[in-house]
Amino acid sequence: VLLDDDVTLPKISSVRDDSFELARLSVQHLAELGHRRIAYAPWSRPESNPWRQQGYRQGLRDAQLPRRRAWEIPVSMTQTGARQAVQGWLGLVPRPTALICFNNTLAGMVIEELRRRGIRVPDEVSVMGGGGEEVPDVTCHQIDWYLMGRHAVRILVRSLSAPGEQAPEHYLAPPILRLGRTTGRP
């Protein structure tokens, strides 16, 4: 059982988060708050998780919001990447009122960088994370990691009980909205 990834290999099952839905629902949440210009800071390695970017774009379409290529600011998952995300966001005209980060770790670093520059979150920009480690007060769609683990063990036990007879299973863990203090009305 491949955990937290999804590749097409014969006889290999997988359990991962539903990244597409996570990003789509994040856009939906921000749109419901009134945001009409929503940027996205994806991981600069899109091949590792193409579903989040697809979900972000679908969320914009669902909400009938504009998509601008410049509003997608790919960065590394580092302090330098967070600085680049903030610098990229600051250079946008018109500036988006919300920023979705690839994961909670990046969101935490971006919020820290925004505050270091005197930009108030969520008063001047709403910031959302997207799974990963727990970052206090960050609004995000989180995944139940224990649920993922339970599904992986169940799949593994079924596979071991009848080797070669089980078709591969692919489970997507649903995202759960966790409200923090980093999003608000524009």
Side-chain angles (χ1 to χ4, degrees):
V1 177
L2 187 58
L3 187 59
D4 201 28
D5 206 343
D6 189 8
V7 294
T8 306
L9 294 173
K11 301 182 183 181
I12 303 292
S13 295
S14 64
V15 175
R16 69 171 173 85
D17 66 352
D18 190 345
S19 289
F20 179 90
E21 196 64 4
L22 183 150
R24 191 189 72 74
L25 290 171
S26 294
V27 172
Q28 179 183 339
H29 173 70
L30 292 166
E32 287 171 355
L33 289 174
H35 293 277
R36 297 293 171 254
R37 295 186 313 271
I38 302 171
Y40 176 53
W43 189 10
S44 58
R45 295 177 45 196
E47 70 282 357
S48 295
N49 188 327
W51 310 284
R52 284 220 182 142
Q53 190 164 40
Q54 292 167 6
Y56 162 75
R57 291 173 179 175
Q58 185 62 50
L60 293 175
R61 283 190 296 273
D62 291 349
Q64 299 180 338
L65 296 177
R67 174 182 167 251
R68 305 284 185 266
R69 190 166 296 279
W71 292 357
E72 296 176 17
I73 310 163
V75 297
S76 62
M77 298 293 150
T78 62
Q79 291 288 348
T80 299
R83 281 192 295 278
Q84 291 169 340
V86 170
Q87 193 63 40
W89 174 78
L90 285 169
L92 296 172
V93 178
R95 188 176 297 155
T97 59
L99 176 62
I100 298 171
C101 296
F102 181 81
N103 65 19
N104 294 342
T105 303
L106 180 61
M109 290 186 286
V110 163
I111 291 164
E112 189 178 291
E113 180 66 19
L114 287 163
R115 289 181 177 152
R116 189 182 70 70
R117 293 176 184 229
I119 299 166
R120 297 180 325 247
V121 175
D123 299 337
E124 295 177 70
V125 61
S126 286
V127 178
M128 280 192 77
E133 74 174 325
E134 299 286 333
V135 177
D137 296 327
V138 171
T139 299
C140 67
H141 277 91
Q142 189 57 284
I143 302 302
D144 183 338
W145 299 108
Y146 296 105
L147 175 67
M148 281 179 63
R150 285 192 301 274
H151 274 281
V153 169
R154 286 182 192 133
I155 291 170
L156 187 57
V157 167
R158 281 193 296 272
S159 176
L160 293 173
S161 68
E165 296 177 25
Q166 299 290 325
E169 299 177 47
H170 302 285
Y171 176 75
L172 295 175
I176 303 160
L177 178 61
R178 294 222 177 122
L179 295 173
R181 296 182 179 154
T182 61
T183 57
R185 299 187 84 59

